[in-house]
């Protein structure tokens, strides 16, 4: 936790300076001193958790198809250098599996939030997805929090690791479900809040994304937010 009372979370690694969800960017966030990093996972053709946000490969790789259309061997020959932002600066960067990222981070004093993307759950059962994540994170088991917008993904994980539910809305229906699930953490988009917004009290901690301004981070920390996710970890550290 910073001296100002909140944990800095690298959103998809360190995308201010590196391609998002890339191994180099995630490791860079850890090297910069981020106590937490957040990454996204999709399932591939082999049933392996892949560190990737989008369903398609076009934005990050300028390649056709969906992530689940490819085997791990094929993905290793595709670069996720995010050409729309960085052109060819980081070409080539192989797409990384969750296991590879965890092994790379295991020597750093860092914890990870793993967000399971909902569309992958059309291609694998929630039970199998959870088992894949457990297998892939063995090198960092005690440092993993499982996150998802998919409410039904989280109950089975609750007895094994901390869970974080990403909210689509802050309404009565979502509050009721949160009170039933009792997640360790609730995640919400700071752009959906204003200065008069009230965060629900409960047995959970709050996590807001995406903040790069120190004053805004401090404002929400003063209102009880413990985790501040940012694209620029150096700006908040």
């Amino acid at each position: 936790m910073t001296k100002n009372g909140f944990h800095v979370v690298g959103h998809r690694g360190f995308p201010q300076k590196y391609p998002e969800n890339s191994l180099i960017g995630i490791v860079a966030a850890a090297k910069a001193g981020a106590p937490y990093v957040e990454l996204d996972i999709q399932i591939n053709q082999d049933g392996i958790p892949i560190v990737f946000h989008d369903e398609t490969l076009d934005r990050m790789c300028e390649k056709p198809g969906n992530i689940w259309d490819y085997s791990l061997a094929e993905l290793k020959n595709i670069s996720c250098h995010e050409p729309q932002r960085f052109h060819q600066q980081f070409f080539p960067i192989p797409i990384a599996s969750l296991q590879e990222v965890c092994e790379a981070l295991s020597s750093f004093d860092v914890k990870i939030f793993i967000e399971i993307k909902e569309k992958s759950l059309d291609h694998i059962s929630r039970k199998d997805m959870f088992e894949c994540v457990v297998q892939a994170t063995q090198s960092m088991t005690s440092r993993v929090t499982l996150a998802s917008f998919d409410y039904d993904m989280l109950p089975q994980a609750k007895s094994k690791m901390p869970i974080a539910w990403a909210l689509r809305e802050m309404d009565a229906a979502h509050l009721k479900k949160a009170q039933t699930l009792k997640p360790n953490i609730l995640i919400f988009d700071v752009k959906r809040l204003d200065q008069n917004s009230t965060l629900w009290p409960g047995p959970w901690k709050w996590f807001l994304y995406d903040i790069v301004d120190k004053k805004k981070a401090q404002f929400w920390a003063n209102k009880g937010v413990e985790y501040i996710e940012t694209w620029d970890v150096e700006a908040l550290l």
Side-chain angles (χ1 to χ4, degrees):
M1 187 175 290
T2 69
K3 64 182 180 181
N4 295 320
F6 59 88
H7 295 293
V8 174
V9 184
H11 190 179
R12 306 179 197 169
F14 195 169
Q16 184 67 21
K17 292 187 175 181
Y18 301 90
E20 64 179 60
N21 277 317
S22 65
L23 180 58
I24 187 175
I26 293 168
V27 170
K31 286 182 176 179
Y36 290 83
V37 294
E38 179 268 349
L39 52 86
D40 306 291
I41 60 168
Q42 301 276 13
I43 205 72
N44 82 328
Q45 190 181 78
D46 306 319
I48 296 171
I50 303 298
V51 181
F52 210 79
H53 177 274
D54 299 356
E55 302 155 38
T56 63
L57 299 179
D58 57 343
R59 180 175 68 91
M60 292 296 298
C61 311
E62 292 188 332
K63 294 290 183 181
N66 297 308
I67 196 81
W68 43 77
D69 296 330
Y70 292 85
S71 68
L72 183 60
E74 290 170 328
L75 291 172
K76 283 299 167 189
N77 291 313
I78 297 175
S79 175
C80 61
H81 54 287
E82 201 174 348
Q84 293 177 17
R85 288 203 301 136
F86 295 106
H87 306 289
Q88 301 301 305
Q89 179 181 352
F90 293 102
F91 179 87
I93 302 178
I95 297 171
S97 70
L98 178 59
Q99 181 174 339
E100 289 175 299
V101 169
C102 287
E103 289 173 353
L105 290 179
S106 62
S107 60
F108 293 93
D109 184 18
V110 64
K111 297 180 181 180
I112 57 175
F113 287 90
I114 298 173
E115 182 185 337
I116 294 174
K117 305 308 289 183
E118 292 175 291
K119 281 295 184 179
S120 275
L121 299 176
D122 293 336
H123 303 271
I124 187 173
S125 71
R126 292 175 177 84
K127 179 178 181 294
D128 288 344
M129 174 63 98
F130 178 64
E131 290 177 356
C132 287
V133 170
V134 170
Q135 180 67 28
T137 58
Q138 287 185 3
S139 60
M140 292 188 71
T141 302
S142 62
R143 293 187 275 162
V144 170
T145 296
L146 190 71
S148 188
F149 282 93
D150 186 85
Y151 182 88
D152 295 329
M153 182 71 230
L154 299 172
Q156 64 184 303
K158 189 177 177 184
S159 64
K160 303 289 180 61
M161 62 181 66
I163 58 171
W165 184 30
L167 301 169
R168 295 203 181 280
E169 302 289 345
M170 283 187 64
D171 56 18
H174 281 73
L175 174 57
K176 185 175 181 180
K177 293 178 79 170
Q179 289 169 334
T180 299
L181 179 63
K182 295 181 176 62
N184 302 87
I185 296 167
L186 288 175
I187 301 173
F188 200 59
D189 184 354
V190 72
K191 294 188 295 294
R192 304 281 304 281
L193 300 171
D194 60 44
Q195 292 190 347
N196 297 316
S197 297
T198 300
L199 300 174
W200 303 329
W204 44 72
K205 297 174 182 177
W206 279 95
F207 175 126
L208 294 183
Y209 67 94
D210 184 42
I211 300 173
V212 295
D213 180 77
K214 288 183 179 180
K215 289 183 178 179
K216 182 180 283 189
Q218 190 60 60
F219 173 84
W220 288 108
N222 292 342
K223 294 191 76 168
V225 175
E226 188 159 328
Y227 299 92
I228 301 290
E229 188 177 54
T230 181
W231 272 46
D232 189 350
V233 293
E234 287 182 342
L236 294 192
L237 289 170

